[in-house]
Amino acid sequence: MRHMTSLLSNFLYSNSLNTRLIVIMLFLSFIMVSALLVIYSNSEKALSREIERQASDLTKAIQIGVEEVTASVGSTDEARLANYLKELNTKGIKEISIISNADEIVASTVPSKIGQPVTHKRKELIIKAELGEPVSEEGSAYNVILPVIAGNTQYGYIHLKINKDDLNKLMKENTLKRITAALMVFAIGIVMTLILSRHYTMPIKQLADAAVRVAAGDLNQRISVSGKDEISKLAQSFNHLVTKLKETRSLEERLREAEHLSTLGQLSRTIAHEIRNPLNFINLSIEHMETKYAPQDSGDRVKYTNLIKGIKQEVQRLNRLVSDFLDYSRPMKLNLTEVNTAEILNDIIDLIWAKAEAEKIIIKREDNDVAVLRLDVELFKSCMMNIIANAFQAMSDPSIENKVLTIKTHKTDESFTISVIDTGIGIAAEDIDRVFEPFFSLKEGGLGLGLSMTKRLVEEHGGSIKVFSEKGKGTELRLTLPFC
């Protein structure tokens, strides 16, 4: 039975809802029919036993009656009949009477009838018996008239009254049992149906509730999936739909951000051009003033020269800020060429070693993995130089004794990774997610466009950039680029 239940569970788990419902209904029908067959079979057996008992009683009654009729000298033993009827316990045989050929009751289990002539009704029963109808129904009993013939001589008749109440009672009891059994089986079927309906409607209710919450804007909904039926497929479709909605929402947010940045870029270009024109005029005017209005006195000339130099530096700084604005807002066009990663890293090291030596920074290279990538060489160098400049600045604190810049490479089947690791002051955990945001800077006077431009350039190459840092323990920027 346990094995059969296990097989049924596995079958239901692996088939469609329609098949499962059909199998469940067939299974319930099989149980109901089996239960009813068992109950009906028992009832039929009980009824058969009762009929056999009554037939046996009837046979014995006929035997006693024949013995009485054929008794010697025509004498009968009424007490014997009465005792026998008591032995039958009044079941089946209600009365035994012996009628002579002279239509007189010569013996009976009812003493008051002995010696009485037969009634008109009983005479009709005798006539019917002689015509071939020995059994007739009378109220709650059957009248049976049997002639007693020995040899060629007829000795009389045996009249039996058979009580049919016991048989009717048994049939009613059996009918009641069958109805009760049928009601119980149907009740069990209804209970099982309710349980199964709850089992199958609960996931649908969960889906409906989750759909309502999603419609209200909560996209953090997920339905657990178990099985392979239609409800499970619906749950999978729902989860897929919610995932797509979340992606769509994220895409809409990025689109709004892109529109915002596009508007900001247009504004930046306009402002940059408007600022650059006066800056150029100021720069030309300063150069003109430097040569034409220089004081004759040597002391004043030094002060004047320092003043002019400071003004020029500020003008150049403003010009660089304007250039950064223009570079950030300008559409990026890549000039891709195949380049060996070892060669491009060698070029970058050649550019930074002097500054590293001046600031007592040790450069370590762990770039045993080499690959050929399609890159815009100049833009990629600018990107790496920007990352290294940030690393140098992070290690510029006088309290940092061990200043090490590590450049590592790692190659997989699908991508190539370059890591730039410093031992600087690190980044606070709450600021890590913001380092690539435009105009966010941890440096005094910084514009906050360097890492934003770096991230944009890496993504234009089809790669990604991640930052790992811990306050006081340094920072790692990891660039992952795809192969050609």
Side-chain angles (χ1 to χ4, degrees):
M1 183 66 182
R2 182 179 300 175
H3 181 65
M4 182 178 177
T5 305
S6 176
L7 289 176
L8 181 63
S9 301
N10 293 334
F11 177 82
L12 293 179
Y13 178 82
S14 60
N15 284 272
S16 67
L17 179 60
N18 184 50
T19 304
R20 291 163 71 176
L21 290 176
I22 291 173
V23 170
I24 288 170
M25 293 306 298
L26 290 175
F27 184 68
L28 287 176
S29 300
F30 173 76
I31 293 176
M32 293 171 62
V33 171
S34 299
L36 290 176
L37 284 175
V38 169
I39 294 169
Y40 285 6
S41 176
N42 292 334
S43 300
E44 293 294 337
K45 288 179 180 178
L47 183 60
S48 177
R49 285 194 298 270
E50 179 64 20
I51 292 174
E52 289 177 0
R53 186 190 64 78
Q54 291 200 8
S56 177
D57 292 342
L58 179 60
T59 302
K60 290 181 181 179
I62 293 171
Q63 180 183 356
I64 294 296
V66 170
E67 290 176 356
E68 289 296 326
V69 171
T70 59
S72 59
V73 198
S75 62
T76 60
D77 190 353
E78 294 85 356
R80 184 182 178 191
L81 291 177
N83 290 334
Y84 177 71
L85 194 60
K86 288 180 181 179
E87 289 178 6
L88 295 179
N89 200 21
T90 69
K91 288 185 179 180
I93 308 303
K94 193 173 183 180
E95 178 184 341
I96 303 175
S97 296
I98 298 171
I99 304 171
S100 66
N101 288 328
D103 295 336
E104 179 181 350
I105 298 174
V106 295
S108 177
T109 55
V110 182
S112 61
K113 293 184 177 181
I114 297 173
Q116 298 290 328
V118 295
T119 61
H120 177 72
K121 185 172 184 61
R122 192 166 296 191
K123 183 65 177 176
E124 291 180 353
L125 294 176
I126 292 173
I127 295 171
K128 286 183 179 180
E130 290 177 346
L131 294 175
E133 296 182 15
V135 181
S136 61
E137 186 176 357
E138 180 184 354
S140 62
Y142 289 108
N143 289 299
V144 180
I145 304 293
L146 298 173
V148 180
I149 299 173
N152 293 323
T153 304
Q154 179 174 334
Y155 292 92
Y157 302 92
I158 299 173
H159 177 206
L160 303 175
K161 267 195 174 182
I162 301 174
N163 187 10
K164 67 177 183 179
D165 288 342
D166 294 333
L167 188 59
N168 289 339
K169 181 180 180 182
L170 180 61
M171 294 179 65
K172 289 179 180 178
E173 289 177 354
N174 287 337
T175 302
L176 183 61
K177 287 180 180 179
R178 292 178 181 181
I179 294 173
T180 304
L183 291 176
M184 288 180 63
V185 170
F186 278 110
I188 293 172
I190 291 171
V191 171
M192 293 184 68
T193 303
L194 290 175
I195 293 173
L196 290 171
S197 65
R198 179 177 176 81
H199 173 73
Y200 286 114
T201 56
M202 184 60 69
I204 297 175
K205 184 178 182 301
Q206 291 176 350
L207 276 170
D209 294 341
V212 170
R213 289 191 288 270
V214 168
D218 182 10
L219 298 182
N220 296 318
Q221 300 295 320
R222 188 166 184 84
I223 304 298
S224 59
V225 179
S226 60
K228 299 179 181 179
D229 58 13
E230 290 81 354
I231 296 178
S232 300
K233 292 179 181 177
L234 183 60
Q236 289 177 348
S237 300
F238 177 84
N239 293 336
H240 180 70
L241 176 62
V242 172
T243 301
K244 290 298 182 182
L245 285 175
K246 291 175 73 174
E247 292 176 357
T248 302
R249 176 177 288 184
S250 176
L251 186 62
E252 290 176 350
E253 292 175 355
R254 290 173 61 187
L255 181 60
R256 283 195 296 268
E257 182 179 355
E259 290 176 350
H260 174 70
L261 292 176
S262 176
T263 303
L264 183 61
Q266 294 176 1
L267 179 62
S268 299
R269 287 194 295 271
T270 302
I271 294 175
H273 285 297
E274 292 299 325
I275 293 175
R276 196 168 242 180
N277 291 331
L279 283 180
N280 290 332
F281 176 75
I282 291 171
N283 193 45
L284 291 173
S285 299
I286 291 298
E287 289 179 355
H288 178 70
M289 290 174 59
E290 183 179 11
T291 56
K292 188 171 182 178
Y293 298 102
Q296 298 298 324
D297 184 81
S298 60
D300 292 338
R301 185 179 294 227
V302 172
K303 294 179 180 177
Y304 180 77
T305 302
N306 291 335
L307 178 62
I308 293 298
K309 184 178 179 181
I311 294 174
K312 281 185 174 182
Q313 289 176 347
E314 291 301 313
V315 169
Q316 290 173 359
R317 189 175 70 84
L318 286 174
N319 193 55
R320 283 196 302 272
L321 291 177
V322 170
S323 298
D324 288 342
F325 266 118
L326 289 174
D327 289 341
Y328 186 77
S329 60
R330 187 182 296 118
M332 190 173 292
K333 294 181 180 179
L334 301 181
N335 181 23
L336 298 177
T337 57
E338 291 188 0
V339 59
N340 186 287
T341 55
E343 293 177 1
I344 198 169
L345 290 177
N346 287 335
D347 292 344
I348 292 169
I349 297 298
D350 290 341
L351 293 173
I352 65 170
W353 73 267
K355 182 175 178 61
E357 190 174 86
E359 297 187 11
K360 299 181 180 180
I361 296 175
I362 300 172
I363 297 177
K364 291 176 62 177
R365 292 184 61 176
E366 299 178 8
D367 55 331
N368 296 324
D369 289 342
V370 180
V372 176
L373 304 176
R374 285 181 59 81
L375 302 173
D376 187 310
V377 178
E378 295 304 321
L379 288 178
F380 187 75
K381 283 183 179 179
S382 298
C383 167
M384 291 295 296
M385 291 295 293
N386 188 26
I387 293 174
I388 292 171
N390 284 342
F392 280 2
Q393 187 167 8
M395 293 186 288
S396 63
D397 194 310
S399 63
I400 300 175
E401 297 180 358
N402 185 26
K403 300 179 180 181
V404 180
L405 180 73
T406 304
I407 299 176
K408 296 172 61 176
T409 60
H410 177 67
K411 182 169 64 173
T412 65
D413 293 337
E414 298 178 353
S415 62
F416 187 81
T417 301
I418 303 174
S419 298
V420 179
I421 307 168
D422 66 61
T423 57
I425 58 175
I427 304 172
E430 61 270 17
D431 293 330
I432 289 179
D433 293 335
R434 302 186 60 196
V435 294
F436 295 115
E437 292 181 5
F439 312 114
F440 175 79
S441 177
L442 297 173
K443 299 181 289 187
E444 262 185 56
L447 188 59
L449 291 175
L451 287 180
S452 298
M453 283 292 296
T454 299
K455 182 174 184 292
R456 180 182 171 192
L457 186 143
V458 172
E459 290 177 348
E460 288 288 338
H461 280 83
S464 63
I465 182 170
K466 294 181 180 179
V467 59
F468 305 90
S469 184
E470 187 174 348
K471 191 69 174 175
K473 293 188 177 181
T475 302
E476 175 186 356
L477 268 83
R478 188 179 300 167
L479 286 73
T480 302
L481 298 166
F483 285 119
C484 302

